[in-house]
Amino acid sequence: MKVTKEVSFKNEKIARYARALSHPVRIFVLDLLSNQACCYSGDLSDELPVAKSTLSQHLKELKAAGLIQGEIEGPKIKYCLVRERWEEVQDMFKEFLRI
Amino acid sequence: MKVTKEVSFKNEKIARYARALSHPVRIFVLDLLSNQACCYSGDLSDELPVAKSTLSQHLKELKAAGLIQGEIEGPKIKYCLVRERWEEVQDMFKEFLRI
DNA sequence: CATACTGTTCGTATTTTTGCGAACAAAGGT
DNA sequence: ACCTTTGTTCGCAAAAATACGAACAGTATG
């Protein structure tokens, strides 16, 4: 029952990010966004075999994790990576995985 | 509804690994093992505020993900990282996160 | 052999995640 | 104004994850 608060805090943070990455649909979205600046939910809907409400939920989770953000653009919504958070994920995994 | 099989297969694989990392206890265990060759479940039990049955379940999941293995040693069980799998995780995350 | 130690499995309860269709809301075009 | 397009939220159901204590199994030690 030791585990300092800092360590457990960090572990919880990594675990939360890992949880955000723990579904193929979310991996797909993040992979796309880390490649191409932004996308529309429709683009994703065309490519992913899930109901649009389901996709919307996954996007909501990614938003909740702070990894993406949506911007209203006409009738559509443009999604982008939150670069700052993405870099944090990169750094945390880099440290955790020692790579 | 496109998404080639290879991509979805890879995404599922990353998602599965991310899922294995998606709990603070499991992060703690992996972090410890990536530092110190091996450990005993008792070492973990002393440091983590969970019932031993709960810890055992987390270890079982890490085993199921292929990330650790246990070896009976007297009355105890010695856990080690499965280096080969750990390297695969490193490589997959490295590629996914572009780091 | 009896007892202590270590760790897993079982049974159970609770919570969280996942998924879908239907209903809803906002914006644009006609 | 009306309809279409786009995407979210709601309500629900099913599945999975999390956690615990109790019971169990194996090994060692007295």
Side-chain angles (χ1 to χ4, degrees), chain A residues 11-31:
Chain A
N11 285 351
E12 278 162 25
K13 200 166 182 181
I14 297 180
R16 263 198 308 279
Y17 280 136
R19 169 90 52 188
L21 305 185
S22 73
H23 192 284
V25 165
R26 298 195 292 267
I27 291 288
F28 181 87
V29 173
L30 291 173
D31 191 41

PDB file of all heavy atoms in Angstrom, chain A residues 11-31:
ATOM      1  N   ASN A  11       0.174   7.240 -13.214  1.00  0.00           N
ATOM      2  CA  ASN A  11      -0.349   5.977 -13.720  1.00  0.00           C
ATOM      3  C   ASN A  11      -1.805   6.116 -14.134  1.00  0.00           C
ATOM      4  O   ASN A  11      -2.225   5.572 -15.153  1.00  0.00           O
ATOM      5  CB  ASN A  11      -0.210   4.877 -12.669  1.00  0.00           C
ATOM      6  CG  ASN A  11       1.222   4.392 -12.529  1.00  0.00           C
ATOM      7  OD1 ASN A  11       2.078   4.755 -13.331  1.00  0.00           O
ATOM      8  ND2 ASN A  11       1.479   3.588 -11.521  1.00  0.00           N
ATOM      9  N   GLU A  12      -2.555   6.849 -13.344  1.00  0.00           N
ATOM     10  CA  GLU A  12      -3.963   7.045 -13.689  1.00  0.00           C
ATOM     11  C   GLU A  12      -4.110   7.832 -14.982  1.00  0.00           C
ATOM     12  O   GLU A  12      -5.000   7.562 -15.783  1.00  0.00           O
ATOM     13  CB  GLU A  12      -4.698   7.771 -12.554  1.00  0.00           C
ATOM     14  CG  GLU A  12      -5.115   6.826 -11.441  1.00  0.00           C
ATOM     15  CD  GLU A  12      -5.443   7.547 -10.146  1.00  0.00           C
ATOM     16  OE1 GLU A  12      -5.810   8.719 -10.193  1.00  0.00           O
ATOM     17  OE2 GLU A  12      -5.311   6.903  -9.071  1.00  0.00           O
ATOM     18  N   LYS A  13      -3.218   8.769 -15.148  1.00  0.00           N
ATOM     19  CA  LYS A  13      -3.273   9.581 -16.358  1.00  0.00           C
ATOM     20  C   LYS A  13      -2.951   8.755 -17.598  1.00  0.00           C
ATOM     21  O   LYS A  13      -3.654   8.838 -18.604  1.00  0.00           O
ATOM     22  CB  LYS A  13      -2.281  10.736 -16.232  1.00  0.00           C
ATOM     23  CG  LYS A  13      -2.563  11.887 -17.147  1.00  0.00           C
ATOM     24  CD  LYS A  13      -1.763  13.114 -16.719  1.00  0.00           C
ATOM     25  CE  LYS A  13      -2.064  14.309 -17.596  1.00  0.00           C
ATOM     26  NZ  LYS A  13      -1.266  15.482 -17.191  1.00  0.00           N
ATOM     27  N   ILE A  14      -1.899   7.958 -17.510  1.00  0.00           N
ATOM     28  CA  ILE A  14      -1.571   7.091 -18.639  1.00  0.00           C
ATOM     29  C   ILE A  14      -2.707   6.122 -18.908  1.00  0.00           C
ATOM     30  O   ILE A  14      -3.099   5.900 -20.046  1.00  0.00           O
ATOM     31  CB  ILE A  14      -0.269   6.299 -18.380  1.00  0.00           C
ATOM     32  CG1 ILE A  14       0.910   7.259 -18.226  1.00  0.00           C
ATOM     33  CG2 ILE A  14       0.001   5.332 -19.519  1.00  0.00           C
ATOM     34  CD1 ILE A  14       2.222   6.551 -17.979  1.00  0.00           C
ATOM     35  N   ALA A  15      -3.236   5.578 -17.818  1.00  0.00           N
ATOM     36  CA  ALA A  15      -4.327   4.613 -17.974  1.00  0.00           C
ATOM     37  C   ALA A  15      -5.535   5.256 -18.658  1.00  0.00           C
ATOM     38  O   ALA A  15      -6.179   4.638 -19.504  1.00  0.00           O
ATOM     39  CB  ALA A  15      -4.722   4.039 -16.613  1.00  0.00           C
ATOM     40  N   ARG A  16      -5.806   6.511 -18.298  1.00  0.00           N
ATOM     41  CA  ARG A  16      -6.937   7.204 -18.931  1.00  0.00           C
ATOM     42  C   ARG A  16      -6.704   7.401 -20.424  1.00  0.00           C
ATOM     43  O   ARG A  16      -7.609   7.206 -21.239  1.00  0.00           O
ATOM     44  CB  ARG A  16      -7.175   8.566 -18.274  1.00  0.00           C
ATOM     45  CG  ARG A  16      -8.261   8.554 -17.210  1.00  0.00           C
ATOM     46  CD  ARG A  16      -8.771   9.950 -16.914  1.00  0.00           C
ATOM     47  NE  ARG A  16      -7.692  10.884 -16.599  1.00  0.00           N
ATOM     48  CZ  ARG A  16      -7.109  10.993 -15.403  1.00  0.00           C
ATOM     49  NH1 ARG A  16      -7.502  10.227 -14.410  1.00  0.00           N
ATOM     50  NH2 ARG A  16      -6.138  11.854 -15.197  1.00  0.00           N
ATOM     51  N   TYR A  17      -5.494   7.784 -20.767  1.00  0.00           N
ATOM     52  CA  TYR A  17      -5.185   7.939 -22.190  1.00  0.00           C
ATOM     53  C   TYR A  17      -5.264   6.591 -22.905  1.00  0.00           C
ATOM     54  O   TYR A  17      -5.777   6.501 -24.019  1.00  0.00           O
ATOM     55  CB  TYR A  17      -3.808   8.569 -22.376  1.00  0.00           C
ATOM     56  CG  TYR A  17      -3.790  10.076 -22.209  1.00  0.00           C
ATOM     57  CD1 TYR A  17      -2.795  10.705 -21.477  1.00  0.00           C
ATOM     58  CD2 TYR A  17      -4.769  10.869 -22.820  1.00  0.00           C
ATOM     59  CE1 TYR A  17      -2.763  12.095 -21.329  1.00  0.00           C
ATOM     60  CE2 TYR A  17      -4.745  12.248 -22.676  1.00  0.00           C
ATOM     61  CZ  TYR A  17      -3.752  12.861 -21.941  1.00  0.00           C
ATOM     62  OH  TYR A  17      -3.725  14.220 -21.811  1.00  0.00           O
ATOM     63  N   ALA A  18      -4.732   5.577 -22.264  1.00  0.00           N
ATOM     64  CA  ALA A  18      -4.768   4.248 -22.875  1.00  0.00           C
ATOM     65  C   ALA A  18      -6.214   3.814 -23.085  1.00  0.00           C
ATOM     66  O   ALA A  18      -6.553   3.224 -24.115  1.00  0.00           O
ATOM     67  CB  ALA A  18      -4.030   3.236 -22.008  1.00  0.00           C
ATOM     68  N   ARG A  19      -7.048   4.145 -22.135  1.00  0.00           N
ATOM     69  CA  ARG A  19      -8.478   3.810 -22.261  1.00  0.00           C
ATOM     70  C   ARG A  19      -9.074   4.518 -23.478  1.00  0.00           C
ATOM     71  O   ARG A  19      -9.855   3.927 -24.224  1.00  0.00           O
ATOM     72  CB  ARG A  19      -9.206   4.240 -20.986  1.00  0.00           C
ATOM     73  CG  ARG A  19     -10.701   4.197 -21.048  1.00  0.00           C
ATOM     74  CD  ARG A  19     -11.300   2.894 -20.631  1.00  0.00           C
ATOM     75  NE  ARG A  19     -10.830   2.448 -19.325  1.00  0.00           N
ATOM     76  CZ  ARG A  19     -11.110   1.262 -18.823  1.00  0.00           C
ATOM     77  NH1 ARG A  19     -11.856   0.401 -19.496  1.00  0.00           N
ATOM     78  NH2 ARG A  19     -10.645   0.925 -17.640  1.00  0.00           N
ATOM     79  N   ALA A  20      -8.668   5.762 -23.667  1.00  0.00           N
ATOM     80  CA  ALA A  20      -9.179   6.496 -24.832  1.00  0.00           C
ATOM     81  C   ALA A  20      -8.754   5.823 -26.136  1.00  0.00           C
ATOM     82  O   ALA A  20      -9.452   5.903 -27.141  1.00  0.00           O
ATOM     83  CB  ALA A  20      -8.698   7.941 -24.805  1.00  0.00           C
ATOM     84  N   LEU A  21      -7.625   5.148 -26.098  1.00  0.00           N
ATOM     85  CA  LEU A  21      -7.106   4.478 -27.301  1.00  0.00           C
ATOM     86  C   LEU A  21      -7.581   3.032 -27.425  1.00  0.00           C
ATOM     87  O   LEU A  21      -7.174   2.331 -28.350  1.00  0.00           O
ATOM     88  CB  LEU A  21      -5.575   4.465 -27.280  1.00  0.00           C
ATOM     89  CG  LEU A  21      -4.822   5.787 -27.134  1.00  0.00           C
ATOM     90  CD1 LEU A  21      -3.323   5.547 -27.257  1.00  0.00           C
ATOM     91  CD2 LEU A  21      -5.261   6.778 -28.191  1.00  0.00           C
ATOM     92  N   SER A  22      -8.423   2.613 -26.513  1.00  0.00           N
ATOM     93  CA  SER A  22      -8.684   1.175 -26.407  1.00  0.00           C
ATOM     94  C   SER A  22      -9.859   0.688 -27.246  1.00  0.00           C
ATOM     95  O   SER A  22     -10.466  -0.322 -26.920  1.00  0.00           O
ATOM     96  CB  SER A  22      -8.908   0.812 -24.944  1.00  0.00           C
ATOM     97  OG  SER A  22     -10.167   1.272 -24.507  1.00  0.00           O
ATOM     98  N   HIS A  23     -10.168   1.400 -28.298  1.00  0.00           N
ATOM     99  CA  HIS A  23     -11.224   0.917 -29.204  1.00  0.00           C
ATOM    100  C   HIS A  23     -10.819   1.198 -30.653  1.00  0.00           C
ATOM    101  O   HIS A  23     -10.358   2.285 -30.969  1.00  0.00           O
ATOM    102  CB  HIS A  23     -12.551   1.605 -28.881  1.00  0.00           C
ATOM    103  CG  HIS A  23     -13.706   0.943 -29.565  1.00  0.00           C
ATOM    104  ND1 HIS A  23     -13.959   1.110 -30.901  1.00  0.00           N
ATOM    105  CD2 HIS A  23     -14.658   0.098 -29.111  1.00  0.00           C
ATOM    106  CE1 HIS A  23     -15.028   0.386 -31.231  1.00  0.00           C
ATOM    107  NE2 HIS A  23     -15.469  -0.231 -30.169  1.00  0.00           N
ATOM    108  N   PRO A  24     -11.003   0.202 -31.521  1.00  0.00           N
ATOM    109  CA  PRO A  24     -10.559   0.319 -32.905  1.00  0.00           C
ATOM    110  C   PRO A  24     -11.111   1.559 -33.612  1.00  0.00           C
ATOM    111  O   PRO A  24     -10.390   2.190 -34.390  1.00  0.00           O
ATOM    112  CB  PRO A  24     -11.104  -0.944 -33.576  1.00  0.00           C
ATOM    113  CG  PRO A  24     -11.302  -1.921 -32.485  1.00  0.00           C
ATOM    114  CD  PRO A  24     -11.606  -1.130 -31.255  1.00  0.00           C
ATOM    115  N   VAL A  25     -12.347   1.901 -33.337  1.00  0.00           N
ATOM    116  CA  VAL A  25     -12.912   3.093 -33.978  1.00  0.00           C
ATOM    117  C   VAL A  25     -12.147   4.339 -33.552  1.00  0.00           C
ATOM    118  O   VAL A  25     -11.820   5.199 -34.374  1.00  0.00           O
ATOM    119  CB  VAL A  25     -14.418   3.243 -33.626  1.00  0.00           C
ATOM    120  CG1 VAL A  25     -14.917   4.639 -33.974  1.00  0.00           C
ATOM    121  CG2 VAL A  25     -15.240   2.190 -34.354  1.00  0.00           C
ATOM    122  N   ARG A  26     -11.822   4.414 -32.278  1.00  0.00           N
ATOM    123  CA  ARG A  26     -11.108   5.607 -31.799  1.00  0.00           C
ATOM    124  C   ARG A  26      -9.682   5.635 -32.322  1.00  0.00           C
ATOM    125  O   ARG A  26      -9.135   6.700 -32.639  1.00  0.00           O
ATOM    126  CB  ARG A  26     -11.168   5.655 -30.263  1.00  0.00           C
ATOM    127  CG  ARG A  26     -12.607   5.765 -29.761  1.00  0.00           C
ATOM    128  CD  ARG A  26     -12.695   6.161 -28.309  1.00  0.00           C
ATOM    129  NE  ARG A  26     -12.230   5.176 -27.366  1.00  0.00           N
ATOM    130  CZ  ARG A  26     -13.012   4.265 -26.775  1.00  0.00           C
ATOM    131  NH1 ARG A  26     -14.303   4.198 -27.056  1.00  0.00           N
ATOM    132  NH2 ARG A  26     -12.510   3.420 -25.906  1.00  0.00           N
ATOM    133  N   ILE A  27      -9.091   4.459 -32.432  1.00  0.00           N
ATOM    134  CA  ILE A  27      -7.754   4.390 -33.036  1.00  0.00           C
ATOM    135  C   ILE A  27      -7.809   4.882 -34.477  1.00  0.00           C
ATOM    136  O   ILE A  27      -6.972   5.683 -34.904  1.00  0.00           O
ATOM    137  CB  ILE A  27      -7.216   2.934 -33.003  1.00  0.00           C
ATOM    138  CG1 ILE A  27      -6.895   2.502 -31.567  1.00  0.00           C
ATOM    139  CG2 ILE A  27      -5.982   2.803 -33.889  1.00  0.00           C
ATOM    140  CD1 ILE A  27      -5.680   3.147 -30.973  1.00  0.00           C
ATOM    141  N   PHE A  28      -8.817   4.435 -35.168  1.00  0.00           N
ATOM    142  CA  PHE A  28      -8.960   4.852 -36.570  1.00  0.00           C
ATOM    143  C   PHE A  28      -9.052   6.369 -36.681  1.00  0.00           C
ATOM    144  O   PHE A  28      -8.359   6.990 -37.498  1.00  0.00           O
ATOM    145  CB  PHE A  28     -10.206   4.202 -37.178  1.00  0.00           C
ATOM    146  CG  PHE A  28     -10.416   4.559 -38.623  1.00  0.00           C
ATOM    147  CD1 PHE A  28      -9.814   3.830 -39.629  1.00  0.00           C
ATOM    148  CD2 PHE A  28     -11.209   5.644 -38.975  1.00  0.00           C
ATOM    149  CE1 PHE A  28      -9.993   4.172 -40.962  1.00  0.00           C
ATOM    150  CE2 PHE A  28     -11.393   5.998 -40.307  1.00  0.00           C
ATOM    151  CZ  PHE A  28     -10.782   5.253 -41.294  1.00  0.00           C
ATOM    152  N   VAL A  29      -9.894   6.959 -35.853  1.00  0.00           N
ATOM    153  CA  VAL A  29     -10.090   8.409 -35.893  1.00  0.00           C
ATOM    154  C   VAL A  29      -8.787   9.141 -35.579  1.00  0.00           C
ATOM    155  O   VAL A  29      -8.384  10.065 -36.296  1.00  0.00           O
ATOM    156  CB  VAL A  29     -11.184   8.836 -34.891  1.00  0.00           C
ATOM    157  CG1 VAL A  29     -11.261  10.351 -34.805  1.00  0.00           C
ATOM    158  CG2 VAL A  29     -12.532   8.250 -35.291  1.00  0.00           C
ATOM    159  N   LEU A  30      -8.126   8.713 -34.531  1.00  0.00           N
ATOM    160  CA  LEU A  30      -6.891   9.391 -34.145  1.00  0.00           C
ATOM    161  C   LEU A  30      -5.810   9.217 -35.187  1.00  0.00           C
ATOM    162  O   LEU A  30      -5.060  10.154 -35.481  1.00  0.00           O
ATOM    163  CB  LEU A  30      -6.415   8.860 -32.786  1.00  0.00           C
ATOM    164  CG  LEU A  30      -7.298   9.239 -31.594  1.00  0.00           C
ATOM    165  CD1 LEU A  30      -6.833   8.521 -30.343  1.00  0.00           C
ATOM    166  CD2 LEU A  30      -7.297  10.750 -31.379  1.00  0.00           C
ATOM    167  N   ASP A  31      -5.751   8.033 -35.752  1.00  0.00           N
ATOM    168  CA  ASP A  31      -4.760   7.783 -36.788  1.00  0.00           C
ATOM    169  C   ASP A  31      -5.005   8.710 -37.975  1.00  0.00           C
ATOM    170  O   ASP A  31      -4.071   9.333 -38.495  1.00  0.00           O
ATOM    171  CB  ASP A  31      -4.846   6.320 -37.220  1.00  0.00           C
ATOM    172  CG  ASP A  31      -3.671   5.925 -38.098  1.00  0.00           C
ATOM    173  OD1 ASP A  31      -2.541   6.345 -37.778  1.00  0.00           O
ATOM    174  OD2 ASP A  31      -3.883   5.230 -39.102  1.00  0.00           O
TER     175      ASP A  31
END
